[in-house]
């Protein structure tokens, strides 16, 4: 049996990269056009009650009018997962942004 590990090593989807941001520090940028409602992958997930941030989840900057959303769900093990999904079509070169929603940002 041959196992296909193609792209399983990538910390980011091939459609995005990390670059200097005019918002803050480093940001997540599209390297190709990305369609609305595209699930770009996991931002964070819980493991044994601990919230783990992925590489993808480390770089989206905050924006009051974001072009992406953080969608939460529960996986088959009962743990929370948070994915990055585009709210609109994104052009190559655009920064991907989120409106930070975690309660600790508002305490």
């Amino acid at each position: 049996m041959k196992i296909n590990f193609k792209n399983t090593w990538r910390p980011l989807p091939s459609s995005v990269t990390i670059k200097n941001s005019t918002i803050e520090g480093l940001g997540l940028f599209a390297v190709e056009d990305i369609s609305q409602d595209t699930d770009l992958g996991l931002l964070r997930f819980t493991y044994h009650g601990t919230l783990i941030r992925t590489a993808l989840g480390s770089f989206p900057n905050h924006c009051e009018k974001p072009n992406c959303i953080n969608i939460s769900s529960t996986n088959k093990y009962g743990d929370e997962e948070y994915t990055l999904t585009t709210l609109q079509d994104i052009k190559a070169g655009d920064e991907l942004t989120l409106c930070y929603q975690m309660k600790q940002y508002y305490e």
Side-chain angles (χ1 to χ4, degrees):
M1 179 171 118
K2 183 177 178 182
I3 298 174
N4 181 0
F5 289 105
K6 185 178 181 181
N7 292 325
T8 60
W9 58 270
R10 294 184 63 88
L12 298 172
S14 61
S15 59
V16 300
T17 194
I18 299 163
K19 297 188 333 184
N20 287 323
S21 169
T22 59
I23 298 172
E24 175 66 34
L26 298 172
L28 197 60
F29 289 81
V31 295
E32 59 189 45
D33 292 348
I34 304 171
S35 299
Q36 180 178 350
D37 296 323
T38 298
D39 178 346
L40 294 168
L42 280 176
L43 293 169
R44 299 181 309 278
F45 61 94
T46 57
Y47 180 73
H48 295 292
T50 301
L51 188 64
I52 308 293
R53 186 176 7 188
T54 67
L56 181 65
S58 297
F59 295 98
N61 279 313
H62 172 75
C63 181
E64 290 296 324
K65 293 183 181 179
N67 55 17
C68 293
I69 190 167
N70 171 5
I71 297 180
S72 76
S73 62
T74 303
N75 67 22
K76 66 182 180 181
Y77 305 107
D79 294 320
E80 290 180 281
E81 294 181 341
Y82 303 87
T83 58
L84 181 65
T85 302
T86 57
L87 288 171
Q88 61 196 46
D89 291 340
I90 298 175
K91 298 290 183 196
D94 288 350
E95 183 168 3
L96 283 71
T97 57
L98 284 170
C99 181
Y100 292 168
Q101 300 168 356
M102 294 177 68
K103 67 179 180 176
Q104 57 265 38
Y105 292 114
Y106 297 99
E107 292 177 349

